[in-house]
Amino acid sequence: YRHVALDGTNLNPKVRIKVMEMIRDLEVEIEYLIFESHLEEILQRNQDQETPRDEKLLEERFRMFDLVHPWEAHSIAYL
């Protein structure tokens, strides 16, 4: 069996669900690993970067985060 990892950082909920529907057609087991961070932590790590990203963009993406629905995967782990 094969393991495939997808980085969903920039996936909006609509695209994420479409990708999971396509993968599900392959009859594979789907597992989500969600790495949670507080906005303050994200902004602080950004400041520590050599080339920080625009804070407004980071805040916007943080607000856009959509929780994963239980029916999307066989297992979901928040880390």
Side-chain angles (χ1 to χ4, degrees):
Y1 137 28
R2 293 179 149 175
H3 296 273
V4 176
L6 300 174
D7 180 356
T9 302
N10 297 311
L11 290 181
N12 65 44
K14 185 178 178 180
V15 173
R16 186 186 74 228
I17 290 170
K18 182 69 174 170
V19 169
M20 288 305 115
E21 287 172 349
M22 291 182 338
I23 292 171
R24 185 170 281 123
D25 289 343
L26 299 174
E27 298 182 18
V28 298
E29 187 171 311
I30 299 170
E31 177 183 19
Y32 277 109
L33 300 177
I34 300 171
F35 298 90
E36 293 185 291
S37 296
H38 295 285
L39 178 59
E40 296 78 21
E41 180 183 352
I42 293 168
L43 295 175
Q44 181 58 52
R45 284 193 314 224
N46 184 53
Q47 288 297 318
D48 297 339
Q49 297 298 315
E50 188 173 311
T51 309
R53 300 198 183 266
D54 178 44
E55 283 191 12
K56 289 184 192 277
L57 175 64
L58 293 174
E59 290 171 2
E60 180 181 313
R61 286 189 178 174
F62 184 83
R63 282 190 216 95
M64 286 176 46
F65 177 74
D66 181 48
L67 292 176
V68 174
H69 303 284
W71 52 264
E72 290 182 57
H74 293 93
S75 65
I76 301 169
Y78 288 87
L79 309 171

